[in-house]
Amino acid sequence: MMEIEYKSAQEIKTFQETLLKDQLAYLAIHSPYYKRLFKKYEINPSAIKTIEDLRFLPTTSKNDLQQYNDDFFCVPKSEIIDYCTTSGTLGSPVTFGLTDKDLERLAYNEMCSFEKIGVQKDDLVQLMTTIDRRFMAGLAYFLGLRKIGAGILRVGSGIPEMQWDSILKYKPKFVIAVPSFLLKLIEYAEKNNIDYRNSSVQKVLCIGESLNDVDFNQTILTKRILEKWPLELYSTYASTEMGAAFTECASRKGGHVQPDLIITEILDEEERPVADGQSGELVITNLGLEGIPLLRFKTGDIVRKHVDACACGRHTYRIGAVEGRKQHMVKYKGTTLYPPAMHDLLAGFPEIEQHLIEISSNDIGTDEIVIFIASNNRSDEFLQHIKDHFRAKLRVAPRIEWKDLEELQKIVFNPLSRKPITFLDRRD
C-alpha cells in the first residue's frame, strides 16, 4: 500500500513535481531525441518546476516514436534486459527497451494494481492473456503477481476448454481476462454442463474493454456477464507507452493514478487543458523510467479525469473509461461516434456470434460504416431490430452485412495479432 496515495492532493502534486524534475534532468543528459528537442526550442529543462509548467514543452506523438525510435533510447543496448513492442493499433509497432530497474518498476506497478483488487500472497491467479510476442502487459501481470508472491497459472489467451480445465483443476480465485471472453467461457460452460456460477473464480481484472460508461454505469457487456455469472469485475487501463496502470478500487469510479510512476494531462484539440470531468486526449509523462522515458506523450485515448473524493480513502485522481481513440473518431451522418460505443451496443445481442466494424471513406470524402455480423438469425426482423437499436442509442444506423462465422473469425483472430481485430479503419 502506497502511503503517498493517502496524502492530500497538494502533497501528492508536490511529490510528483520533485520526481518530474529528476526525470527532466535525466532526459536532458541521456535522451538523444529530447536533447535535440530542448535545443531546437531553446528549452531549459531545469526551468520546468511544476506540473503546470509542462505546457511550455512540446508534445510527443506516436509518429515521433515511429520515425525516431532509436533516438528515444536513453541507455546503451547492453543495458536492455527485455524488448517489448506496441501492438501497432495506430500504425507501425514501436520498440521499447526495459532495463533491470524498469522491470522492477513494472513489477511494482502491477503489484499495486493487484493489491487494489485484493490479491494476496496465498491467492492463485489465472492469466488469460499472452506473455509472449514481445507483449508488455502479460509480462507485467506475471512480474506483479510474482512480487506479491501469489500463485500464477499462465494459460494464455483464448481456448475456453483449456481455461476451464485449469479453473476446475487448480481452483484460482482471480482471473485476468478480456471481458467479452468471459461470455465465451460462460457459453462453453453451459454447453458442457460446468457449474460455473459455483466455480472457484470470484474476481476478474478486466483488460482491453471498458466495464462502465462515462457516468460509471455498467456497459451492456458488463450487464450480460453479471446476469449470468455474479463475479466481481474490476477495470484496469494501461499501455506500453505509459509503463503504468490505472486500476479501479472497490468503489469502481475510475482507475487510480500511481503518482510515483506517471503524470497525466487531459488536453483538447488545441492542446489546452480541459476542465476536470470533461473529455479530452490523455497526455502522459513517465516518472522513474530509464530505457525509454516519454515526455508529454499523446496517447490518442479520449478519457476524463475525476478528482472528487474516493470512498477508498485515496486522494489520487482517477481516469475514467476510454471513450475512444482520437484517430478512430468517426463522423457519420453528422454524428460523432467511437468504436467502443458500437462494440458495446452489439454486445447486447446474444444472437451475434462475432462482429467486425469497418470504416472507409466514400466518394465525397465522408466516413462510411459497415458492420459485418455472424449470426444464426439472419431474418429481416432481427436486422431491423439491430438498426432500430442503433438509432435509439447512437442516433444513426450503419450498413450491416451478414458474414459466415468462420470467415469472420479468420479476420478477428488473426494469428499475427496479439489482440482480436474487431475494428478496421480503411480511411485514407
Side-chain angles (χ1 to χ4, degrees):
M1 184 180 295
M2 286 180 54
E3 185 180 344
I4 187 63
E5 292 181 298
Y6 297 88
K7 298 289 188 181
S8 69
Q10 184 55 51
E11 287 175 302
I12 293 171
K13 181 175 182 292
T14 301
F15 169 76
Q16 287 198 302
E17 288 171 349
T18 299
L19 297 178
L20 174 61
K21 292 172 190 175
D22 293 339
Q23 191 72 77
L24 286 167
Y26 180 82
L27 290 170
I29 297 171
H30 298 286
S31 172
Y33 178 83
Y34 286 112
K35 280 197 289 186
R36 190 165 65 240
L37 193 75
F38 294 156
K39 183 177 180 180
K40 177 181 178 181
Y41 290 97
E42 298 181 347
I43 293 169
N44 177 8
S46 63
I48 307 300
K49 300 184 183 297
T50 67
I51 291 174
E52 289 78 13
D53 290 343
L54 284 170
R55 70 183 188 276
F56 298 119
L57 301 174
T59 55
T60 298
S61 69
K62 187 68 173 261
N63 183 62
D64 296 323
L65 274 172
Q66 291 166 335
Q67 191 171 356
Y68 305 107
N69 200 168
D70 286 349
D71 290 345
F72 282 89
F73 277 79
C74 292
V75 298
K77 299 296 174 66
S78 59
E79 291 187 28
I80 299 298
I81 304 297
D82 187 82
Y83 286 90
C84 296
T85 53
T86 58
S87 61
T89 305
L90 296 180
S92 302
V94 173
T95 296
F96 281 77
L98 288 84
T99 66
D100 189 61
K101 180 182 174 183
D102 291 341
L103 287 172
E104 177 59 30
R105 178 185 179 278
L106 192 64
Y108 164 77
N109 162 68
E110 289 302 335
M111 179 189 74
C112 294
S113 291
F114 287 124
E115 286 178 342
K116 284 185 178 70
I117 70 169
V119 178
Q120 299 178 7
K121 187 180 188 305
D122 295 334
D123 288 321
L124 186 58
V125 183
Q126 185 155 325
L127 183 55
M128 296 184 182
T129 183
T130 183
I131 196 172
D132 56 6
R133 303 186 188 180
R134 303 193 303 272
F135 191 36
M136 181 181 282
L139 174 65
Y141 304 140
F142 176 82
L143 293 176
L145 291 169
R146 183 174 181 269
K147 193 170 181 66
I148 289 174
I152 310 166
L153 296 167
R154 294 181 293 105
V155 182
S157 59
I159 318 178
E161 181 179 5
M162 187 181 296
Q163 304 293 351
W164 275 116
D165 177 73
S166 180
I167 291 170
L168 297 174
K169 184 174 183 178
Y170 299 106
K171 297 179 170 47
K173 178 180 178 181
F174 292 83
V175 161
I176 305 168
V178 175
S180 56
F181 184 65
L182 296 176
L183 292 177
K184 300 292 184 184
L185 290 179
I186 293 169
E187 180 184 1
Y188 181 88
E190 290 179 339
K191 287 181 179 178
N192 292 275
N193 298 314
I194 296 172
D195 185 10
Y196 60 92
R197 292 174 65 91
N198 291 308
S199 71
S200 62
V201 179
Q202 298 178 23
K203 300 182 180 183
V204 184
L205 185 66
C206 294
I207 61 175
E209 296 168 341
S210 296
L211 296 175
N212 301 306
D213 62 19
V214 297
D215 297 316
F216 300 116
N217 298 312
Q218 292 177 349
T219 63
I220 296 170
L221 174 59
T222 302
K223 290 177 181 177
R224 277 193 63 194
I225 295 167
L226 297 180
E227 283 169 1
K228 291 275 191 175
W229 198 356
L231 297 164
E232 290 185 38
L233 305 180
Y234 296 86
S235 181
T236 187
Y237 162 55
S239 71
T240 302
E241 295 91 347
M242 289 193 290
F246 299 87
T247 303
E248 288 182 325
C249 64
S251 300
R252 294 178 178 82
K253 295 293 184 181
H256 284 272
V257 69
Q258 292 181 196
D260 54 343
L261 300 182
I262 194 168
I263 290 173
T264 69
E265 303 168 79
I266 314 293
L267 306 181
D268 65 15
E269 291 283 345
E270 282 73 45
E271 297 190 354
R272 298 172 303 195
V274 302
D276 293 333
Q278 298 299 307
S279 66
E281 182 176 9
L282 178 67
V283 176
I284 63 99
T285 295
N286 306 128
L287 298 173
L289 263 178
E290 287 185 335
I292 300 187
L294 299 176
L295 179 61
R296 301 198 81 205
F297 174 73
K298 301 173 73 174
T299 65
D301 291 338
I302 306 301
V303 300
R304 298 170 195 250
K305 178 180 177 180
H306 301 276
V307 298
D308 53 306
C310 185
C312 73
R314 293 178 179 86
H315 294 142
T316 47
Y317 61 80
R318 301 168 320 278
I319 298 296
V322 176
E323 298 169 39
R325 306 199 83 167
K326 190 175 179 181
Q327 285 183 249
H328 288 169
M329 184 181 76
V330 181
K331 293 289 286 186
Y332 186 66
K333 298 180 180 179
T335 299
T336 298
L337 301 173
Y338 287 104
M342 292 186 275
H343 289 312
D344 188 54
L345 189 148
L346 292 165
F349 296 94
E351 303 94 331
I352 296 178
E353 298 173 280
Q354 193 61 256
H355 75 269
L356 174 69
I357 300 171
E358 182 177 285
I359 311 296
S360 60
S361 300
N362 58 26
D363 294 339
I364 60 174
T366 58
D367 295 338
E368 286 291 337
I369 304 174
V370 180
I371 299 179
F372 299 101
I373 289 176
S375 175
N376 290 324
N377 184 352
R378 295 193 176 191
S379 67
D380 291 340
E381 291 79 10
F382 182 49
L383 180 62
Q384 190 60 48
H385 182 41
I386 297 172
K387 289 186 175 184
D388 288 345
H389 206 56
F390 264 90
R391 290 190 185 96
K393 298 295 183 180
L394 302 180
R395 300 197 300 276
V396 291
R399 192 168 96 239
I400 295 174
E401 294 186 9
W402 303 116
K403 283 277 189 183
D404 291 333
L405 179 61
E406 185 177 348
E407 182 182 358
L408 207 50
Q409 286 183 328
K410 287 179 181 178
I411 302 172
V412 174
F413 300 107
N414 187 323
L416 298 179
S417 175
R418 296 189 303 222
K419 303 176 183 178
I421 300 171
T422 54
F423 176 78
L424 289 176
D425 192 342
R426 301 193 185 282
R427 291 175 291 188
D428 296 333

